[in-house]
Amino acid sequence: MSISATTAMLMSLEPSSGYAAGPRGDDSQLPIFDAQKVQLRFDISADFVTAQVANNVLILALSTGRILRFDLDNAEDIDDIDLPKRPAEIGVIRRLFLDPSASHLIISTTLGENFYLHTQSRQPKALAGLKGVQVESIAWNPSQPTASTREILVGAADGNVYETYIEPTTEFYRRQERFVRNVYNAQDGPVVGLYADVLSSRPETRRVMLATAHKLLHFMGRTGRQGNEGSGSIYAKLFEGETPAVHEVERTSGPAPSSLVVSPDAPDSPPSTLDSQGVERTYAWLTSQGIFYGQLITSAADPAVLGRQLFRESRLLPSAKLPPVQTSGGRSRTQQPPINSIILTQHHILALVEGRLTGINRLDESVVYNQQVLDPGTSTLGLFADHQKNTYWLFTSTEIFEIIVTDESRDVWRVLLQQGKYEEAQSFAKTAEQKDAVASMTGDHLIAQGKYSEAAAVLGRSTKAFEDVALTLIDKGEQDALRKYLLMKLGNLPKKAVMQRMMVASWLVELFMAKLNQLDDTISTKAELTTTQTTVSAADTQKQLPGVRKEYQDFCTRNKSDLDPKTVYEIISSHGREEELLFFANVVGDYNYVIAYWVQRGRWQQAMAVLKKQTDPEMFYRYSSVLMAHVAMDLTEVLMRQPDLDAKKLIPALLNYNKVSEGSVSLSQNQAVRYLLFCVNHANSEEPAVHNTLISLYAAHPSKEESALLGYLQTQADLHQQHYDADFALRLCRGHRRVQSCVHIYCAMGRYAEAVELALKYDDDGEDGADSGKGWGRYVELAADVADRPGNDEALRKKLWLKVAKKVIGQSKGIKSAIEFLKRCESLRIEDLIPFFPDFVVIDDFKEEICAALEDYSRRIEELKREMDESASTAQHIKDDIKALDQRYAIVEPGERCWKCRLPLLMRQFFVFPCQHAFHADCLGEMVMQSVGMGKEKRIRELRSEIGRGVAMGKRREGMVRELDGLVAGACVLCSEMAVRMIDEPFVTTGEDKGEWAV
């Protein structure tokens, strides 16, 4: 065979001519199996003698002794391998054995020569320990190692079974096998099949299946372990110490193909390891009578009889059950030819009989595929399966066919359903229709068996008529199953089916309440129930109650949107279930209902426990009145933690509380006052109603002490902000005789006279209280303090003190003490007080004050006389200065210049000012006109024009000159107010040279 390096080494599938593919979008219309020819894109000069496929690696052995290794994931990756010796020396390649991972390949020839080839090598190495052994089968290590084979079993044509451990090596003198040991002899001809795995129930044990043409042996037991891995046999102990379970078939006269095959790995399953061998596989043993197959169970009630149980549960598919083979003339053969080869897929058996490929469902042995792939008489190498990739192949000496599998499990659910394997059928149902059919039949079957709870769970997922299922469960009296069914249906109903969901959910509430009442009745009547036949004892009922209650709570939480609160309240209330009622109200967030429920029953602490968790202000407004009357302190604590409350809306509750508790609670313990103070001092409330309510509570309290009210009013005054209604506060304070507070409010309003009158009035009424320490009542002292408040308004202050003086003098505590008290106001004179003294007062009581007043008047008269003399002297000095003005002069130096034009001053008429500034008359006029208003400027121009033309003569001219001089020379333009008004003028005008100012 020659392979061109430039030829694309690709393989492509060529659909068989006997099948026309349908549309690929619907796999259900395609056959489950279809053998398609693989078209090699290069020429092969020799026939195939054997082949193997594993892990997407294809091995072809040619009659020339060449081996081709294809990587199906990379079609261009082909290894062309030669054996170390020519076929004439070692024989033609007879069998290939490839482990499931495609890491290890054992090659056996017709002359008993055996070779080993690792996946990373292209040089087969001779297996000296197996020289002369005609290898028929191999049991690979269950752990599927890749670096070495570890312990494997080799079945020979002479019935011997060898154990070996192959480890690739590059050393020339070192053998590939660590050891080779004969561990068993079947004594029944060639060992056509070997399989080893680990049992999940007993991980320390292994199972070995050994097949000959007529016997199938099942070994199970512990394996021996040597000190070092690979140092000796581990299966020898198993074969020596265990007696196998044997299944034997009738011997026939002629030879017939025989083999042992195992089903492949499940799709998407992890790679096999010793720890993951618990998956039960299927085996099939090809015999002369047919196919003996069954489940490779890994656990049994009695492990000692695992093999016998396995054979007992296996079945024989006789060759006669396969479709008859047609002759060339189209007629069926009278005698069925033997089966050439078999393989197992996930759910089927594929059998090859004289070129005809038949697919048989293992569950019911129905034929799902029967296709004549090869011409009669064509020699075949057999069927092969890739256990890891789930691909299947048919090889002849010249052709390769891949058996394409399309939706192999499509009908498995139906078969399992017919066999009554409902749970397995459900796992294989894919479409909604399939799942529904399985669920309906499963439910009916369970109901027939009396398993109502299991039936409810299954039927809840089906589309079987709701009324049929519900009525059936009701007729059977299975309320628990009915509840379970309704829960399942509610979970499957679409969200848009609002009415249906609401009706089912309401029905479920009714069922839950009935169940809970039934359990409570059972528990409460425990004594009577012990004498009757019951299915559930009282003790079991006691344990069941929390579970049902938890189920109800989960149902409410999960389906609260499907429950109508009003309906549910009525249902639960009719059953008298308080705990469930409150739980539902809490779940749906109807806290109004919960609080109202507790309030109606006077359970104030429970109501407060719910209210503490709320943030909706309306909740607090609604229940504050009743709660304030019973749990005022707790409610106040909660109210003070709510920042969004409008304190104005809580005033009715506060007033109601104050009315109930009035007289029995001090101001320091009054919760209404406490909350209002919190609003004022911490929440900084500016709401007048809040402040007015606080004042009303202070003023109306039975206590005569008004320090708290006065302190609040003083705090407001200190803040320079008055948020209360002064007139309202004044009326309240006067009505409740809060004199000090009234006086404070009058003063805050600036009505000092009324404040003094009020203080003195209550002193007249005998409200003076304790002695002030100075011999006067506290209200007289208060009036005196108020009289001092006007401050700078001495007239008002004196007026107020006169009111106080009248009151003080009118009291019978002695004129002497009254005058001492009134000395606090320095504005009062003795003459102001004399009118208030009674007529019978003796002057001796205040002669000292009169004498002091007269002396004071004498001093003031002397001061006035001195001031008059000083004023006369000042007036005379002014007259003298006026007379001297006419004789003033100024000296002008010869070279002095005009301050404006800088020309000599004596050139023309000029003015000289006391500040020594001098100007020409016309220059001064121009400067003045620039700085005065338009009116004066116009008048100056008129006067200068008339004087210049000589129109006016005599006194009129003199008057005009004096007027002009007064306008122009009234003040110096550089020193007077005119200069100040010109401060916004720039130093450099538009016509001047700015460079002159350069520094």
Side-chain angles (χ1 to χ4, degrees), residues 19 44 114 163 264 343 390 605 646 684 700 763 819 985 993:
Y19 165 66
I44 298 177
N114 297 292
E163 181 182 356
I343 56 173
N390 279 257
Q605 292 302 326
D646 184 357
N684 300 319
D763 201 73
I819 292 176
E985 294 293 331
D993 184 10

Side-chain angles (χ1 to χ4, degrees), residues 951-986:
V951 177
M953 301 299 292
K955 291 184 179 181
R956 184 169 178 271
R957 175 182 173 82
E958 291 177 1
M960 295 175 68
V961 171
R962 282 196 301 272
E963 183 181 359
L964 178 61
D965 290 344
L967 292 173
V968 174
C972 176
V973 293
L974 298 180
C975 302
S976 65
E977 291 182 1
M978 281 190 285
V980 175
R981 288 197 299 269
M982 294 176 64
I983 194 170
D984 60 338
E985 294 293 331

Side-chain angles (χ1 to χ4, degrees), residues 151 163-166 175-181 229-234:
E151 297 85 4
E163 181 182 356
T164 185
Y165 188 121
I166 302 175
R175 293 179 13 164
Q176 303 295 306
E177 322 90 290
R178 287 193 180 183
F179 67 87
V180 177
R181 179 175 177 178
E229 183 180 357
S231 61
S233 171
I234 66 171

Side-chain angles (χ1 to χ4, degrees), residues 548-710:
V548 176
R549 183 174 286 119
K550 179 66 167 59
E551 185 181 353
Y552 160 76
Q553 293 174 353
D554 293 341
F555 162 75
C556 290
T557 304
R558 187 171 56 252
N559 301 284
K560 59 184 178 182
S561 60
D562 300 318
L563 293 168
D564 176 55
K566 183 178 179 181
T567 304
V568 175
Y569 290 151
E570 292 178 0
I571 294 173
I572 302 178
S573 298
S574 66
H575 287 271
R577 307 294 303 184
E578 177 183 286
E579 182 178 344
E580 285 71 30
L581 182 69
L582 294 176
F583 179 83
F584 171 74
N586 278 289
V587 165
V588 298
D590 191 358
Y591 301 107
N592 273 321
Y593 185 90
V594 179
I595 298 176
Y597 182 89
W598 292 124
V599 167
Q600 289 172 4
R601 287 154 181 79
R603 307 272 286 275
W604 312 116
Q605 292 302 326
Q606 287 85 344
M608 281 303 305
V610 178
L611 188 64
K612 286 177 182 178
K613 302 175 183 178
Q614 308 310 309
T615 57
D616 182 9
E618 293 299 328
M619 299 279 287
F620 296 92
Y621 303 150
R622 183 175 294 114
Y623 298 104
S624 58
S625 293
V626 63
L627 293 175
M628 198 73 187
H630 295 89
V631 281
M633 183 175 293
D634 292 341
L635 180 61
T636 303
E637 290 287 348
V638 175
L639 294 178
M640 290 193 298
R641 292 197 297 267
Q642 300 296 324
D644 299 328
L645 291 181
D646 184 357
K648 183 171 61 177
K649 295 183 179 181
L650 295 170
I651 289 177
L654 300 177
L655 293 177
N656 181 62
Y657 160 79
N658 189 70
K659 181 180 179 181
V660 173
S661 62
E662 187 176 6
S664 61
V665 178
S666 64
L667 281 174
S668 60
Q669 299 297 323
N670 190 300
Q671 299 303 311
V673 173
R674 178 188 175 199
Y675 178 69
L676 291 173
L677 284 175
F678 169 81
C679 296
V680 171
N681 298 329
H682 297 278
N684 300 319
S685 174
E686 298 181 0
E687 178 61 46
V690 173
H691 291 262
N692 293 339
T693 303
L694 180 59
I695 291 174
S696 69
L697 297 182
Y698 275 137
H701 197 270
S703 173
K704 294 183 179 181
E705 179 62 41
E706 58 178 306
S707 58
L709 174 58
L710 190 60

Side-chain angles (χ1 to χ4, degrees), residues 780-997:
V780 172
E781 292 287 346
L782 179 61
D785 291 338
V786 173
D788 277 332
R789 293 190 182 183
N792 296 329
D793 191 348
E794 287 296 331
L796 176 59
R797 184 166 176 262
K798 184 176 181 180
K799 179 180 178 182
L800 297 177
W801 268 103
L802 286 174
K803 292 178 181 292
V804 176
K806 182 177 180 181
K807 175 68 177 181
V808 169
I809 294 173
Q811 290 183 346
S812 59
K813 290 183 180 287
I815 298 301
K816 191 77 173 177
S817 61
I819 292 176
E820 287 296 329
F821 177 79
L822 295 174
K823 285 182 179 180
R824 292 165 57 179
C825 178
E826 65 280 0
S827 300
L828 291 180
R829 301 292 179 185
I830 190 63
E831 62 270 24
D832 298 327
L833 302 178
I834 289 176
F836 302 135
F837 293 148
D839 296 338
F840 55 83
V841 173
V842 179
I843 197 171
D844 291 342
D845 293 336
F846 52 93
K847 65 180 179 180
E848 294 180 2
E849 284 73 13
I850 294 176
C851 293
L854 293 176
E855 291 176 0
D856 184 48
Y857 286 144
S858 299
R859 285 194 300 273
R860 292 183 61 189
I861 291 171
E862 291 297 328
E863 289 177 359
L864 290 175
K865 288 175 63 178
R866 187 169 57 257
E867 291 175 0
M868 291 174 62
D869 292 342
E870 290 176 356
S871 298
S873 175
T874 301
Q876 185 60 44
H877 287 311
I878 292 172
K879 288 180 181 180
D880 294 340
D881 290 340
I882 291 173
K883 290 180 180 180
L885 285 176
D886 295 338
Q887 299 176 3
R888 283 193 308 171
Y889 62 90
I891 299 173
V892 178
E893 297 295 336
E896 192 166 350
R897 298 177 180 273
C898 174
W899 279 79
K900 181 180 184 303
C901 64
R902 308 308 296 171
L903 295 176
L905 191 63
L906 299 177
M907 289 181 61
R908 53 185 185 273
Q909 186 180 3
F910 60 89
F911 289 95
V912 179
F913 293 94
C915 59
Q916 295 301 313
H917 289 136
F919 305 91
H920 291 127
D922 53 348
C923 291
L924 181 61
E926 293 296 332
M927 294 177 68
V928 170
M929 284 192 293
Q930 291 177 4
S931 60
V932 298
M934 295 180 61
K936 288 186 177 181
E937 179 184 357
K938 181 179 180 182
R939 182 58 180 165
I940 292 173
R941 292 185 184 280
E942 290 176 353
L943 292 174
R944 291 176 63 180
S945 175
E946 291 183 5
I947 293 173
R949 289 184 297 168
V951 177
M953 301 299 292
K955 291 184 179 181
R956 184 169 178 271
R957 175 182 173 82
E958 291 177 1
M960 295 175 68
V961 171
R962 282 196 301 272
E963 183 181 359
L964 178 61
D965 290 344
L967 292 173
V968 174
C972 176
V973 293
L974 298 180
C975 302
S976 65
E977 291 182 1
M978 281 190 285
V980 175
R981 288 197 299 269
M982 294 176 64
I983 194 170
D984 60 338
E985 294 293 331
F987 287 110
V988 183
T989 60
T990 306
E992 293 182 353
D993 184 10
K994 295 182 180 180
E996 295 180 357
W997 290 83

